[in-house]
Amino acid sequence: MVQELLSKNLYLCQEIMGHAQISVKKDHFFLSGFTWMASRSLSCSHIDGVKKLKGLRYRNLSSQIVGKFSRNTQDISQDFELPSAYETAMEALSTLITQKKRNGTSAVNGQNQKLDRMLRYIKILGLEEKIAGLKIIHVAGTKGKGSTCAFCEAILRECGFRTGLFTSPHLIDVRERYRLDGMDICQENFLQYFWDCWNQLKANISEDLPMPPLFQFLTVLAFKIFVSEKVDVAIIEVGLGGKLDSTNVIKEPIVCGITSLGMDHMETLGDTLGQIASHKAGILKPQIPAFSVPQLSEAMEVLQERANELMIPLEVVAPLTLEKLNGTRLSLSGDHQLSNAALAVSLCKSWLRGTGNWKRLFEDAYEEDGLPQQFLRGLSAARLSGRAQIVVDPLINASGGNKRVSGDLTFYLDGAHSPESIYACARWFSAAAVERKDLSLSSVSSGVETTETAWTKGYIKHCHNKEPDKRLKRILLFNCMDARDPQILLPKLVDTCASSGIYFSKAIFVPSISAYTKVTSATSTIPSYVPGKDLSWQFNIQRIWERIIHGKDVLDQDLKINASAGLPPREFLYEEASRYCPEDRYFASSAVFPSLPLTINWLRDCVRENPSLRLQVLVTGSLHLVGDVLKLLRR
């Protein structure tokens, strides 16, 4: 008997898992693979009181999903261990990783061969005809495709449909990739579908058909889940590119969408915007409606050319306006979300018309300018972790009676990792940091803060024209993968924030916990630090940061440090950034920390010791880093 624990999702309105009868025979586990023997009656019970009705069967899960932590779920998580069956599934998934790092070479040579193999995997699982029966929204793009898919899911769920959402990557647990009715799939059902797919594929592997690499398997699993769960709509986010992506075995979606395009994954998609757009346009299909947000001319020309070849109209969707939203505030923050939300609205309208549901629900009452209430509720309820997300540290900011016993520690998390997304992240943080009421829709003036900050000869100087708020410190917590270019990302971040009068007191550079070669779960063991950890990449990033701050190279090119080196004293937080001593390898504006857990604990200790201290920590540069921070904050 395996009892599913209370889900540790960041949102209060989540599932309470049910029970499942599971029988595991030890002789069914082999070195070459894993076999799962389980009852077919697995099920998950929910706390939302959903009633299955005919027609529109799954009416409106809670629209108000609050991004806060539950103290009760944290207490439970510390008392139990993750079921070994789930750990075994994660170990099995890890064996499917064929690349040692993000820009490595896949073991599966030839992209066309990859799609051919995808079709063969689908045929083995008996999903070919069933996938054709799914009513799919297919979304590609460089930035915003996850947000657009989340908006689509929430809108159509508010319209009363049973929704399935497949996105990537996951931040904490692989089950985040699969949402049913707005909820991550529960462990019992995940394990059932996982081992069903695993065992059938394992039994049919051959020399020319090995087990699928990780993302291909996860994509096949998505189709298996959505077919088995009989969803009314499946919203599928492209993983990488479009034309040769594993999701592009979808032959006849109801509608396709292209989000904002930019320069990313160039080692795979090409080094020009036109080449990248060509890959994205690969999801467009004959006779299938297509929509795009406004694009740069080089990208739009390629998209339009492909649409003309297919003889389909490509509708360009303008961002939503305040008037159109009718006072509704988007649940996902940032000006850029207005474009993502507008695309989602168009995709959902097209899906409703294509499936014959628009007139039945709305009777053409909203053909022109207005949005149905279901759409507005969906736009205000969509959620996507790690993108423009604000998390108040639950351990530091828990209620302690009338007297505050510690300062404030708030994390601003955004997994931006391209120049375009870093720009959007900086604009969002600049607005959120000054607590603008309309931060998702308005620009920010530079005269909001009580301390004016000026840059003179590359140094930070504080001009006390107004009484400074000595309690407020803004910290950058940053890491990026070595496939990214911090020489582009960091200046873009600093300049964009500075244009709104937002400056960082300190920058902390730290290695991520997550390994590209291993799939972990929400409760995987996290070491405080790894002795002998190579921090040369973090010191390289620090060197770039110091050059931005001081206008010159101040670090030894050969500077290295062992992970056992001590953390800076808490006084480091209060020192002027202009105080630095390159000879002693001391820099008051930044520091390299040997591990993320030590960093979080150091920040917590700082605010515990000073009740008047208020820390705003921007975590960005990597979705891996953001996921690791969220994982640590949940413990």
Side-chain angles (χ1 to χ4, degrees):
M1 171 75 72
V2 174
Q3 179 178 358
E4 176 67 56
L5 307 179
L6 179 65
S7 172
K8 299 194 304 173
N9 194 287
L10 295 177
Y11 302 88
L12 294 179
C13 296
Q14 263 288 21
E15 302 166 305
I16 294 180
M17 310 306 181
H19 300 266
Q21 297 288 339
I22 298 176
S23 172
V24 180
K25 297 182 180 180
K26 292 184 179 179
D27 60 338
H28 281 268
F29 288 84
F30 300 93
L31 291 177
S32 60
F34 303 90
T35 301
W36 177 253
M37 306 293 292
S39 166
R40 295 295 178 183
S41 61
L42 297 175
S43 64
C44 302
S45 59
H46 300 272
I47 59 173
D48 47 56
V50 178
K51 295 181 179 179
K52 296 184 179 181
L53 305 174
K54 293 182 178 180
L56 304 182
R57 297 168 297 161
Y58 291 80
R59 181 72 181 99
N60 192 18
L61 299 185
S62 175
S63 297
Q64 304 303 319
I65 301 178
V66 183
K68 295 182 179 179
F69 291 92
S70 168
R71 298 289 298 174
N72 293 334
T73 61
Q74 289 179 354
D75 293 339
I76 290 176
S77 70
Q78 294 171 359
D79 294 336
F80 295 89
E81 294 183 356
L82 191 71
S84 59
Y86 194 69
E87 293 276 15
T88 302
M90 297 304 101
E91 293 172 4
L93 273 178
S94 296
T95 67
L96 301 181
I97 299 175
T98 57
Q99 296 176 213
K100 298 305 179 184
K101 58 182 182 179
R102 173 186 171 265
N103 59 342
T105 302
S106 173
V108 179
N109 296 318
Q111 295 294 321
N112 290 318
Q113 184 184 39
K114 181 180 77 172
L115 283 181
D116 176 67
R117 286 179 172 177
M118 275 293 296
L119 293 172
R120 293 171 69 183
Y121 295 138
I122 288 169
K123 190 172 183 179
I124 289 171
L125 296 174
L127 295 174
E128 200 168 13
E129 293 182 1
K130 295 176 182 178
I131 290 175
L134 289 175
K135 295 178 174 58
I136 294 173
I137 296 176
H138 201 193
V139 180
T142 304
K143 308 183 305 294
K145 57 184 184 292
S147 299
T148 299
C149 288
F151 279 129
C152 286
E153 187 280 326
I155 289 171
L156 292 176
R157 175 160 43 88
E158 288 291 342
C159 289
F161 296 97
R162 176 154 170 75
T163 59
L165 174 64
F166 176 58
T167 59
S168 60
H170 64 273
L171 298 184
I172 299 175
D173 195 290
V174 71
R175 293 182 296 115
E176 298 167 26
R177 296 176 184 248
Y178 311 99
R179 284 195 213 164
L180 298 168
D181 295 322
M183 302 292 185
D184 298 348
I185 188 172
C186 67
Q187 280 192 21
E188 290 98 338
N189 282 1
F190 175 85
L191 287 173
Q192 177 190 357
Y193 298 133
F194 175 87
W195 291 113
D196 278 350
C197 289
W198 182 277
N199 292 335
Q200 289 185 65
L201 293 176
K202 196 72 173 179
N204 287 275
I205 62 173
S206 61
E207 186 174 341
D208 69 329
L209 188 68
M211 285 292 284
L214 180 63
F215 186 72
Q216 290 186 42
F217 182 89
L218 294 176
T219 303
V220 170
L221 180 58
F223 293 133
K224 171 70 174 179
I225 291 171
F226 296 154
V227 165
S228 300
E229 292 289 332
K230 296 180 172 57
V231 298
D232 297 317
V233 56
I235 301 106
I236 306 293
E237 177 190 357
V238 166
L240 175 63
K243 177 168 57 178
L244 302 176
D245 184 68
S246 298
T247 65
N248 209 29
V249 292
I250 299 168
K251 296 179 179 179
E252 295 185 11
I254 300 299
V255 62
C256 295
I258 308 289
T259 66
S260 181
L261 301 183
M263 305 300 291
D264 199 10
H265 296 284
M266 293 177 287
E267 72 280 356
T268 302
L269 305 180
D271 55 8
T272 70
L273 193 56
Q275 290 173 326
I276 292 172
S278 178
H279 278 274
K280 309 295 183 180
I283 72 165
L284 304 183
K285 303 293 190 300
Q287 301 179 331
I288 303 299
F291 297 83
S292 172
V293 302
Q295 309 282 359
L296 294 176
S297 58
E298 183 181 356
M300 186 57 71
E301 288 173 4
V302 174
L303 297 180
Q304 192 61 63
E305 181 181 356
R306 179 57 180 161
N308 292 340
E309 290 174 359
L310 297 172
M311 295 184 290
I312 59 173
L314 176 64
E315 183 175 334
V316 179
V317 182
L320 287 179
T321 62
L322 282 170
E323 181 181 5
K324 194 109 175 180
L325 286 170
N326 194 28
T328 298
R329 180 173 174 175
L330 300 180
S331 58
L332 303 181
S333 299
D335 293 349
H336 57 290
Q337 295 296 355
L338 294 170
S339 288
N340 298 330
L343 179 59
V345 166
S346 293
L347 292 173
C348 289
K349 283 184 176 180
S350 181
W351 185 90
L352 288 166
R353 293 189 179 105
T355 57
N357 285 292
W358 178 263
K359 288 187 177 181
R360 180 165 65 86
L361 287 174
F362 305 118
E363 298 179 351
D364 294 329
Y366 299 93
E367 283 291 343
E368 298 299 329
D369 296 326
L371 290 177
Q373 285 301 310
Q374 295 93 322
F375 279 52
L376 295 175
R377 288 200 301 268
L379 293 173
S380 66
R383 62 179 178 87
L384 191 65
S385 294
R387 285 80 162 179
Q389 181 179 5
I390 301 174
V391 177
V392 177
D393 189 351
L395 294 185
I396 292 301
N397 297 279
S399 176
N402 295 327
K403 184 179 180 180
R404 175 164 287 282
V405 295
S406 67
D408 291 321
L409 179 56
T410 304
F411 292 88
Y412 297 75
L413 303 115
D414 192 284
H417 49 267
S418 69
E420 296 87 355
S421 58
I422 278 287
Y423 172 75
C425 167
R427 284 180 57 84
W428 161 72
F429 177 70
S430 297
V434 295
E435 300 177 339
R436 296 279 294 188
K437 293 181 180 179
D438 53 350
L439 59 93
S440 67
L441 296 174
S442 299
S443 59
V444 183
S445 64
S446 59
V448 177
E449 286 191 294
T450 56
T451 301
E452 291 185 12
T453 310
W455 293 67
T456 306
K457 296 180 181 179
Y459 292 83
I460 295 179
K461 289 188 177 181
H462 296 273
C463 308
H464 302 289
N465 296 337
K466 301 177 183 178
E467 181 64 23
D469 182 1
K470 297 180 180 179
R471 297 175 301 171
L472 177 62
K473 299 285 184 180
R474 294 191 175 106
I475 312 295
L476 173 64
L477 181 56
F478 185 91
N479 190 39
C480 65
M481 301 180 72
D482 58 11
R484 308 294 178 184
D485 190 351
Q487 297 186 79
I488 296 175
L489 300 182
L490 288 176
K492 177 77 73 174
L493 175 66
V494 170
D495 292 345
T496 305
C497 287
S499 68
S500 296
I502 299 299
Y503 301 89
F504 296 100
S505 301
K506 307 292 174 184
I508 297 174
F509 305 104
V510 61
S512 299
I513 300 169
S514 300
Y516 198 78
T517 56
K518 185 174 178 59
V519 180
T520 58
S521 66
T523 57
S524 296
T525 301
I526 300 177
S528 294
Y529 75 97
V530 179
K533 180 80 172 180
D534 181 10
L535 299 175
S536 57
W537 177 245
Q538 282 68 44
F539 278 105
N540 180 57
I541 299 174
Q542 184 189 30
R543 184 179 298 112
I544 295 167
W545 177 264
E546 291 294 333
R547 187 164 61 241
I548 294 171
I549 298 301
H550 301 293
K552 59 182 179 180
D553 285 318
V554 295
L555 287 177
D556 182 354
Q557 293 291 324
D558 298 322
L559 181 62
K560 291 184 179 180
I561 194 170
N562 188 282
S564 60
L567 300 176
R570 250 101 61 199
E571 290 75 18
F572 162 77
L573 193 61
Y574 305 98
E575 293 173 341
E576 287 293 324
S578 59
R579 177 179 176 268
Y580 70 98
C581 184
E583 298 79 18
D584 297 333
R585 294 180 176 180
Y586 182 81
F587 309 95
S589 63
S590 66
V592 171
F593 280 44
S595 80
L596 187 57
L598 291 177
T599 304
I600 300 298
N601 289 336
W602 187 86
L603 292 169
R604 285 171 168 167
D605 288 342
C606 287
V607 295
R608 286 190 181 108
E609 291 182 0
N610 187 352
S612 66
L613 181 62
R614 182 184 177 199
L615 293 186
Q616 295 178 329
V617 183
L618 173 62
V619 184
T620 192
S622 165
L623 278 168
H624 291 286
L625 177 65
V626 167
D628 291 340
V629 170
L630 287 172
K631 188 180 294 186
L632 287 168
L633 293 179
R634 289 173 59 175
R635 299 197 171 192

